[in-house]
Amino acid sequence: MIEPKRIAVLCNYELLPERVGGMDYFFWKFDSECKANGIEVHWFFPNQSDHGAYDALTIFDSRYESVENYFLNFCKTKKNKYTHIITHFIELCTPFFYKIKQFSTAKIITIDHNPRPLSGYPLKKRIEKRIKGILFSRYIEVFVGVSDYTKSEIIRDFGSVVKKKTLTIYNGVVFEDILQRMDRNTVHPTFLTASHLRESKGIQDLIAAVALLPAEIKKAVKIDLYGDGPYKSILIQKMKQYNVVSCFNFMGSSPNLKALFSNYDYMLQPTHMECFSLSILESLAANVPVITTNVGGNEEVIVSGKNGYIYKAKDIFALKDILEALYLGHKKIETNTKTLIEECFSLTAMVDHHLALVLPNKS
């Protein structure tokens, strides 16, 4: 087998200095490990940036046009030959993969980070995905889900034809860089959320749940909301509607969120859609338990009662009960949440598993 020397990584992922998350750290470390193993990596993003370690990457940016179309034109113009082509945040099983194979013999590996709707796709879209699986999955050598949930959904979407070439590689975090909370308040705990502000993240459910709390708790509870997005104005309206504006603080986006988790006792993630949340992992690594929903891969990392609590998505009454019990000290998590996850969900393990896709003989 010819040792791979050059790979292309396509990422429909905007590089933002004010939003540095787990995937940024993965990209940096993966590039470094590839170079250490004699592999040249070309990165294709929507935009250019040199924040963090991006100045060390060889980046070609599409200037916010389609990354897929830019890559196809780039390859036709530059005549670059790649042994592997890896995609992140790119739609699976589209004509794009067929087009690549018309001029490249590269092994194509697709990483699926995309959450599915809580009630599933409509029938028309399910049929379309199954047809795309039949037509285009043959051009993809490996499908990777970031959780067992995602792996199952890939097979559900595209059919049994992809089953034998679909696997799971969990997301991971840099444990050493995350500050740990040493003492957790067992009564009157502090809370945060950390997510893009859009409807699917379920912050509106949290607002409704807080509105159900007893008056004495509502007067005192404080929840800091980290993140920004198009749904912010609607959330503000809902806070006013439920008369709970004083319970919430909008903190905006933070480039160093993982250093802030340790300022809180619990993280709340009332999401309706999830693949496998890096925010959950970072919170747990900071010894901050997580209260979240039973969607996506959440139950693959949260053990209810040990490192957090799981409730049914959209069940505002269940969320209210958990919040009330935690605030009054009737419920509490006493274990160090880092120890339950650090062996399985480290960034080093994540990078090693991804590197093994292009260097299968690497131990």
Side-chain angles (χ1 to χ4, degrees), residues 206-253:
L206 176 59
I207 294 169
V210 168
L212 294 172
L213 290 169
E216 62 272 18
I217 297 179
K218 279 193 288 187
K219 288 179 182 178
V221 70
K222 298 293 181 184
I223 301 172
D224 288 346
L225 306 177
Y226 287 91
D228 211 338
Y231 207 57
K232 180 177 178 179
S233 61
I234 296 176
L235 295 176
I236 292 173
Q237 290 176 11
K238 289 185 178 294
M239 291 174 188
K240 292 178 180 178
Q241 175 188 343
Y242 286 109
N243 195 27
V244 292
V245 172
S246 63
C247 301
F248 295 91
N249 297 310
F250 285 99
M251 309 300 288
S253 297

Side-chain angles (χ1 to χ4, degrees), residues 136-351:
F136 302 118
S137 67
R138 70 189 71 181
Y139 305 110
I140 300 171
E141 277 74 22
V142 180
F143 292 81
V144 177
V146 297
S147 63
D148 284 342
Y149 156 82
T150 311
K151 174 184 173 182
S152 297
E153 290 299 310
I154 292 171
I155 298 168
R156 185 195 300 270
D157 287 347
F158 302 112
S160 59
V161 65
V162 305
K163 186 174 183 179
K164 290 185 178 179
K165 52 183 179 178
T166 303
L167 54 89
T168 299
I169 298 179
Y170 284 115
N171 288 336
V173 296
V174 185
F175 289 95
E176 295 79 11
D177 290 350
I178 298 176
L179 299 176
Q180 281 200 70
R181 186 163 184 84
M182 303 309 295
D183 298 310
R184 192 177 304 133
N185 293 316
T186 55
V187 293
H188 302 173
T190 54
F191 301 98
L192 83 153
T193 69
S195 72
H196 189 60
L197 300 183
R198 56 177 182 265
E199 185 177 9
S200 65
K201 290 301 182 180
I203 306 298
Q204 65 274 15
D205 298 344
L206 176 59
I207 294 169
V210 168
L212 294 172
L213 290 169
E216 62 272 18
I217 297 179
K218 279 193 288 187
K219 288 179 182 178
V221 70
K222 298 293 181 184
I223 301 172
D224 288 346
L225 306 177
Y226 287 91
D228 211 338
Y231 207 57
K232 180 177 178 179
S233 61
I234 296 176
L235 295 176
I236 292 173
Q237 290 176 11
K238 289 185 178 294
M239 291 174 188
K240 292 178 180 178
Q241 175 188 343
Y242 286 109
N243 195 27
V244 292
V245 172
S246 63
C247 301
F248 295 91
N249 297 310
F250 285 99
M251 309 300 288
S253 297
S254 172
N256 195 29
L257 184 59
K258 62 183 182 179
L260 302 176
F261 283 110
S262 61
N263 295 332
Y264 299 89
D265 296 304
Y266 291 91
M267 186 175 86
L268 304 167
Q269 195 181 63
T271 180
H272 299 169
M273 298 170 62
E274 205 68 58
C275 266
F276 197 72
S277 170
L278 282 165
S279 293
I280 285 180
L281 292 181
E282 289 174 347
S283 181
L284 295 174
N287 192 26
V288 177
V290 177
I291 295 92
T292 191
T293 56
N294 61 340
V295 302
N298 288 351
E299 292 181 286
E300 294 172 46
V301 64
I302 298 296
V303 181
S304 203
K306 291 188 177 181
N307 60 356
Y309 295 98
I310 294 284
Y311 68 97
K312 186 177 180 180
K314 295 188 177 183
D315 189 343
I316 62 173
F317 297 99
L319 178 54
K320 172 262 181 186
D321 289 343
I322 293 172
L323 288 172
E324 182 175 354
L326 287 172
Y327 199 78
L328 296 176
H330 299 161
K331 279 183 181 290
K332 56 186 175 181
I333 300 295
E334 298 183 298
T335 58
N336 187 318
T337 61
K338 177 183 176 181
T339 59
L340 291 176
I341 66 161
E342 60 185 337
E343 289 186 10
C344 300
F345 304 112
S346 71
L347 182 65
T348 298
M350 179 187 180
V351 170

Side-chain angles (χ1 to χ4, degrees), residues 22-39:
M23 287 307 300
D24 298 282
Y25 287 92
F26 167 72
F27 295 149
W28 301 338
K29 188 169 178 62
F30 182 75
D31 184 82
S32 175
E33 288 298 312
C34 282
K35 289 174 179 173
N37 283 275
I39 304 172

Side-chain angles (χ1 to χ4, degrees), residues 99-118:
K99 293 175 183 177
I100 290 177
K101 289 296 189 179
Q102 301 315 296
F103 61 82
S104 175
T105 59
K107 181 178 182 180
I108 297 178
I109 301 165
T110 61
I111 319 299
D112 188 351
H113 302 267
N114 300 317
R116 272 64 173 181
L118 185 58

